[in-house]
Amino acid sequence: MNENKVAEIKNLVKNYGSKGFQTKVLKGIDLTIMKDDFIAVMGPSGSGKTTLLNILSTIDKPTQGTVMLDGKDITRMPNKDLSRLRRDKIGFIFQDYNLLDTMTLQDNIALPLSLGGVSGRECIRRTEKFAEMFGLGEHLKKYPYQLSGGQKQRGAACRALITEPEIIFADEPTGALDSKAGRDLLECLRKVNENHQATILMVTHDPFCASYARDVYMLSDGRIICRASRGAGRKEFYDRIIDVQISMGGDFSWE
């Protein structure tokens, strides 16, 4: 396996329902994710983008096809090995933060390390490092209820990065944020990607959010129909994404 290849899917098919009454959601998807990629997946409601994310991140299983992650076909892995893979190789950023209200932000961020048996001193060192990168250094002793939505989401991003995973999966990461908080989070994700600290695959309905990625894949009716790559400027990329949306004529609201 190419050491710069983080994930690869081939002929990915996903059907729901019983035989004779099946809904085909993904219809033969091929996609390769390389180290330091920042990919956004977009598509109209019902196009299959969330299903694709769930399969890639081991939450769901395909009906057909292969999903290679860290050099292994995750469709054939037993649950015990999948759990270890999620813990060691994958980071998640969800729309609703998923922080524990009874723990400080510092403890929330460090939780994956603590569960992995990392020493307290190392947990503190890494937590402080990522907190500073995401502008949270002065908030580590606060509890989630004392934080804004943007601060909580940046904390969730720190938690996803703390184990230095192979890939970060972000599901509508700005969906619950106002415009400024969303921009702050996207700028942080862009920086960690450009500093070679994260490979990111993000599902979003928002062209502004997608414009922070390096490549955008458009899904329609369970298939990848086009790819757009960022040039010199984000604004120009945003305009091109809008043009593709218009040409597809679909409703890109949330699924």
Side-chain angles (χ1 to χ4, degrees), residues 24-65:
K24 296 183 178 181
V25 180
L26 299 178
K27 304 174 182 178
I29 300 284
D30 295 320
L31 177 66
T32 300
I33 304 171
M34 305 299 290
K35 184 175 174 59
D36 298 332
D37 274 352
F38 187 170
I39 291 171
V41 177
M42 300 187 71
S45 178
S47 62
K49 55 187 183 292
T50 297
T51 300
L52 175 62
L53 177 74
N54 288 342
I55 291 173
L56 268 168
S57 60
T58 76
I59 293 172
D60 199 358
K61 290 184 178 291
T63 303
Q64 178 183 320

Side-chain angles (χ1 to χ4, degrees), residues 210-221:
S211 70
Y212 279 81
R214 296 186 184 189
D215 297 283
V216 175
Y217 288 83
M218 295 288 185
L219 264 64
S220 180
D221 194 27

Side-chain angles (χ1 to χ4, degrees), residues 93-95 153 170-177 185 189 202-203 209:
I93 304 174
F94 300 103
Q95 182 181 332
Q153 190 63 304
D171 186 7
E172 297 284 3
T174 64
L177 305 179
L185 174 68
L189 293 178
M202 173 175 65
V203 163
C209 184

Side-chain angles (χ1 to χ4, degrees), residues 2 30 36 39 66 72-73 77 130 132 140 145 148 155 171 184 203 206:
N2 185 330
D30 295 320
D36 298 332
I39 291 171
T66 59
K72 305 176 182 67
D73 185 353
M77 293 176 69
F130 282 103
E132 288 299 326
L140 285 174
Y145 72 87
S148 69
D171 186 7
D184 290 344
V203 163
D206 182 0

Side-chain angles (χ1 to χ4, degrees), residues 113-134:
L113 296 179
S114 300
L115 294 175
V118 176
S119 70
R121 179 177 295 181
E122 179 64 10
C123 285
I124 292 172
R125 186 191 71 80
R126 288 203 216 174
T127 300
E128 291 178 346
K129 169 188 170 185
F130 282 103
E132 288 299 326
M133 289 169 55
F134 279 73

Side-chain angles (χ1 to χ4, degrees), residues 38 133 185-198:
F38 187 170
M133 289 169 55
L185 174 68
L186 292 166
E187 282 293 341
C188 289
L189 293 178
R190 180 185 62 79
K191 287 177 183 177
V192 296
N193 172 256
E194 291 180 352
N195 292 335
H196 311 291
Q197 293 170 300

